[in-house]
């Protein structure tokens, strides 16, 4: 159904049930939907399964969710960072389950979830501890591992601009996990720095078509650097 | 648990309008080649319904004015179309991911046969000397959240197209949930065929015509 | 290696070996690399395996390749068209092998070929004659068929604009199979209507990154309608 | 069938220059986090070498001038970078498809251990109380057309990092083809370890140091 534009991150987030699977975009600081995760912290859902490349930094909202014991499991490629002390503590205490996934397999499993592909054979991880117990097969001479699709109840994504139809463009390397996560969740909530009228994004340059977007919120804090080049719409010649 | 019954068999336009009436505002819809394309003319203005064409466009508009055709802006039937504000283009893998991943709310397809269980046959006449072709039929059949069929209830030779078991090569198994025809709207699925509405025929006459026992649907609406 | 720009379709095509697997983009008239297929006709390679959504129209170059018996096998979703008489004749005579693939599976198998995915489980085709003999599995409650990746020796693609780095943008529904085929071939040859300087295509709007492109040729005949909206670069606000 | 031998053990910059010297003009290259990032400084101007960073950019440029950092333009090590003319951005699934599909010509990685067969261990120290993290390491190891390693030949505690069999958890099996170190360049693979060049050590001393029998490579070039 058509995307709705909301006035606050909390309203855009809506209700998240206890036990929900929540995808959170971002790679390092780029593309983190900071305010949406803060809204989730405020909203109160617990027993969550989080799918995210990282596992929180310092005292940010994801780190706090973990500290508060509201994340039962995290599906993640790089949880360990210099300032991931809340995750580290929970992991060492055995109070959080970690499914460690190579970054490309994580992205491809999410894409599969959004694309209706149930599972796929990939060479990544073959012969390593992260493929232990998984089905393997040699295809065209290459040994591969079977990896299954990941879907979520909600995806939290940061994009650069939306139009009124929910079409999204991203900015530079902040694009990262947003476009695949947006496809793989029952409900996709997006924070942007600008909402344009329907038709204001060139149809050739749309990265995430509006069909994947349910809720949009414009946040000043999402605004990128002053003077930064726009993500789409620059003359090409 | 009652069915409505119009006095008259529906013509194509009335069938298309009947299909359109079941599509919720704001839906993303794919209309198959042939009869289903007529549904576009009956979608209410301002309903916010967005059309997908699997060759790579979301936000498809009507045919262009004569002389304004663009050979690079066509639908899945290779007919020139237009783009509406808010449209987006994508490649074939992304387009079928959109379909297969369950993101299209409703897909309306034509059919040679539909079974009471919801099996669909719409890609092959089964003729041994025919050159086969499938296109996107199998992807469309299983991909949408809800797949419905729009067809005449009888073939040109008078044989029923709603059947106990498809005899033609299948397009998809148990994928159809409702069939819109000139003589009736009929729900199909694991519970068998159940009549929603009839047009110019009684429930009993419909059963005779099809040689099928038909239930009544619980509700005529989604 | 970096893309090369050539002066003619024949030069861009280069050598194609007998027995090569050749992908040809296009869906109906949109996105057909007409002049590149004509160059293939002229070049002379035989015993080809062609991967293409359609199987030639009228007397076009693909139809002629089939008529001349130079296509051993075609992997195709919709070979039968009102004017596909050369394919029809070859098929009825048993002189061409047809692997009929649902269109979405065709696109996804080509994507898999380009993405290093060996095979994947898809619901499309399950329980139909086109899945006969294929491995099946129920995943998350959905019965699925295992489909394998497709790769090619050469992909022939029509795009709209290239820059000197080989980055491509397409135009409207002519995008169709080009972007996935470009990723799945050892060598990708592209015809465009315009070659721009390196950097003239906004990095946010590139559809096919130059890494996938080997040879480019600019052809006047590829030019789209006069006055048509450019594929990228329109101001978004 | 001869190896060159410099008088001196190479420093980091010389190692990076040596790696760079083997990268053909026009190549697409991914440089791993840590030591391999130094290679960028030694790629000749005008060589047409394009850098890929797996977080979604092809055509990565050097670090920006102070004050010009953009938190949304970073490399896989989360360090601010720049974009060069001809760059393109893409999402994670497309970026790893580019890597996994064999489109990157050369990937240069750091390592804890490399085996003579070309197995790589570079993501886990195997310490039971360590918090694990893998990132893109496993994808990079197996995806590129040619994966090479840049590392000191000995660990800080003096133990060799080129080994008969990796004892640390693997990143990929048989994926490394050449190892660039401070003391030698060594080819690895199904044929075992073969010396290409040594720096300040003799072939025999190298064998002693590693406790491995080392062959000579057929050719020192790609």
């Amino acid at each position: 159904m058509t995307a709705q534009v909301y006035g606050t991150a909390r309203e855009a987030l809506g209700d998240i049930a206890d036990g929900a699977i929540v995808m959170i975009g971002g790679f390092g600081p780029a593309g983190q939907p900071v305010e949406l995760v803060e809204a989730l912290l405020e909203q109160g859902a617990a027993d969550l399964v989080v799918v995210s490349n990282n596992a929180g930094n310092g005292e940010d909202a994801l780190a706090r969710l973990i500290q508060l014991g509201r994340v039962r499991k995290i599906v993640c490629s790089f949880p360990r960072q210099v300032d991931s002390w809340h995750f580290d503590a929970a992991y060492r205490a055995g109070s959080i389950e970690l499914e460690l996934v190579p970054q490309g397999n994580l992205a491809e499993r999410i894409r599969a979830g959004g694309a209706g592909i149930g599972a796929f054979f990939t060479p990544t991880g073959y012969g390593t501890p992260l493929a232990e117990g998984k089905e393997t097969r040699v295809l065209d001479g290459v040994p591969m591992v079977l990896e299954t699709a990941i879907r979520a109840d909600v995806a939290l994504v940061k994009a650069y601009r939306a139009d009124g139809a929910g079409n999204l463009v991203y900015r530079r390397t902040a694009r990262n996990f947003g476009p695949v996560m947006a496809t793989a969740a029952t409900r996709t909530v997006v924070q942007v720095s600008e909402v344009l009228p329907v038709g204001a994004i060139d149809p050739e340059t749309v990265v995430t078509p509006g069909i994947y977007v349910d809720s949009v919120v414009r946040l000043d804090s999402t605004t990128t650097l002053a003077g930064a080049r726009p993500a789409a719409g620059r003359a090409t010649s | 648990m009652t069915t409505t019954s119009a006095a008259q068999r529906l013509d194509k336009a009335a069938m298309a309008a009947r299909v359109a009436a079941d599509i919720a505002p704001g839906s993303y819809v794919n209309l198959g080649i042939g009869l289903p394309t007529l549904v576009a003319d009956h979608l209410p203005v301002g309903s916010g319904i967005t059309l997908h064409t699997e060759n790579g466009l979301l936000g498809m508009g009507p045919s262009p004015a004569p002389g304004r055709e663009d050979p690079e802006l066509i639908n899945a039937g290779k007919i020139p179309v237009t783009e509406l504000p808010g449209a987006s283009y994508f490649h074939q893998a992304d387009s079928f991911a959109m379909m297969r991943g369950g993101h299209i709310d409703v897909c309306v397809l034509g059919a040679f046969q539909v079974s009471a269980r919801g099996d669909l046959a719409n890609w092959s006449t089964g003729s041994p000397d025919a050159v086969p072709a499938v296109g996107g039929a199998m992807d469309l059949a299983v991909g949408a959240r809800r797949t419905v069929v729009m067809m005449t209830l009888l073939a040109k030779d008078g044989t029923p197209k709603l059947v106990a078991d498809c005899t033609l090569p299948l397009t998809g198994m148990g994928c159809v949930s409702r069939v819109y025809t000139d003589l009736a709207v009929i729900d199909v699925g694991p519970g068998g065929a159940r009549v929603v509405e009839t047009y110019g025929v009684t429930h009993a006459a419909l059963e005779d015509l099809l040689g099928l026992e038909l239930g009544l649907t619980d509700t005529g609406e989604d």
Side-chain angles (χ1 to χ4, degrees), chain A residues 116-198:
Chain A
I117 298 298
F120 56 87
F121 283 102
T122 171
T124 300
Y126 178 86
T128 77
L130 298 190
E132 260 170 34
K134 295 191 175 182
E135 183 175 339
T136 62
R137 188 175 301 198
V138 177
L139 287 159
D140 208 13
V142 182
M144 300 208 182
V145 183
L146 186 69
E147 292 284 353
T148 55
I150 302 178
R151 284 193 54 83
D153 297 298
V154 185
L156 308 183
V157 167
K158 176 179 169 180
Y160 180 44
R161 287 169 160 168
D163 73 5
N167 293 308
L168 304 179
V169 292
Y170 299 80
R171 193 172 164 280
R172 297 184 155 173
T173 57
R175 189 184 298 199
N176 58 66
F177 282 93
V180 284
M181 287 183 172
T183 69
T186 305
R187 200 155 60 80
T188 293
V189 184
V190 184
Q191 63 176 76
V192 296
S193 63
E194 208 172 346
V195 177
L196 305 171
V198 173

Side-chain angles (χ1 to χ4, degrees), chain B residues 104-126:
Chain B
I104 305 292
D105 296 300
V106 182
C107 180
V108 186
L109 296 173
F112 299 144
Q113 289 181 328
V114 178
S115 82
R117 257 191 313 277
D119 296 345
L120 172 66
N122 78 346
W123 71 282
S124 167
T125 60

Side-chain angles (χ1 to χ4, degrees), chain B:
Chain B
M1 293 293 284
T2 58
T3 53
T4 47
S5 182
Q8 294 275 345
R9 176 174 176 276
L10 301 189
D11 63 13
K12 287 179 183 180
M15 283 168 66
R18 180 62 190 85
V19 173
D22 273 357
I23 298 176
S27 294
Y28 292 93
V29 176
N30 183 296
L31 300 175
I33 296 170
L35 217 47
T37 57
L38 300 179
V39 173
D41 301 333
H42 299 273
L43 298 173
V45 173
S47 64
I49 290 170
T50 305
L51 296 182
H52 171 256
T53 180
E54 65 269 23
N55 54 316
L57 167 60
L58 193 67
M60 177 174 66
S63 296
R68 300 289 300 164
E69 297 88 355
D70 177 346
E72 295 189 336
L73 180 49
I74 60 176
N75 66 14
K78 292 158 190 167
I79 310 291
V81 292
T82 49
E83 79 178 32
L84 297 178
S88 54
Y89 294 100
F90 28 81
H91 63 59
Q92 287 295 276
D94 279 351
S95 185
F96 281 91
M98 190 180 282
M99 173 57 72
R100 195 194 309 108
H103 305 285
I104 305 292
D105 296 300
V106 182
C107 180
V108 186
L109 296 173
F112 299 144
Q113 289 181 328
V114 178
S115 82
R117 257 191 313 277
D119 296 345
L120 172 66
N122 78 346
W123 71 282
S124 167
T125 60
S127 164
D129 66 336
V131 175
V134 62
M138 291 185 178
D139 308 275
L140 298 174
V142 303
R145 251 172 232 157
R146 179 171 166 81
T147 297
V148 301
V149 159
M150 176 179 173
M151 65 180 190
T152 57
L153 190 57
L154 305 179
K156 281 177 188 162
D157 67 1
T159 55
K161 293 163 74 175
L162 182 72
V163 294
D165 294 287
C166 294
T167 54
L168 295 176
L170 287 191
T171 306
M173 290 178 70
C175 53
V176 178
S177 54
R178 180 170 282 189
V179 181
Y180 298 86
T181 77
D182 48 344
L183 294 173
V185 176
I186 302 172
D187 280 343
V188 293
R194 289 146 294 141
V195 176
V196 179
E197 293 173 10
T198 61
Y199 311 118
V201 290
T202 64
H203 187 106
L206 201 62
E207 287 186 320
D208 280 355
L209 197 61
L210 299 175
L212 283 178
E213 202 170 313
L214 301 171
L216 287 177
T217 202
D218 280 343
T219 162
E221 300 304 310
D222 286 314

Side-chain angles (χ1 to χ4, degrees), chain A residues 23-24 51-53 75 103-117 120 148-152 177-185:
Chain A
M23 289 177 175
I24 301 176
V51 181
S52 169
N53 192 65
V75 182
Q103 194 173 335
N105 285 359
L106 183 62
E108 189 70 10
R109 290 176 65 187
I110 295 168
R111 179 194 177 271
I117 298 298
F120 56 87
T148 55
I150 302 178
R151 284 193 54 83
F177 282 93
V180 284
M181 287 183 172
T183 69

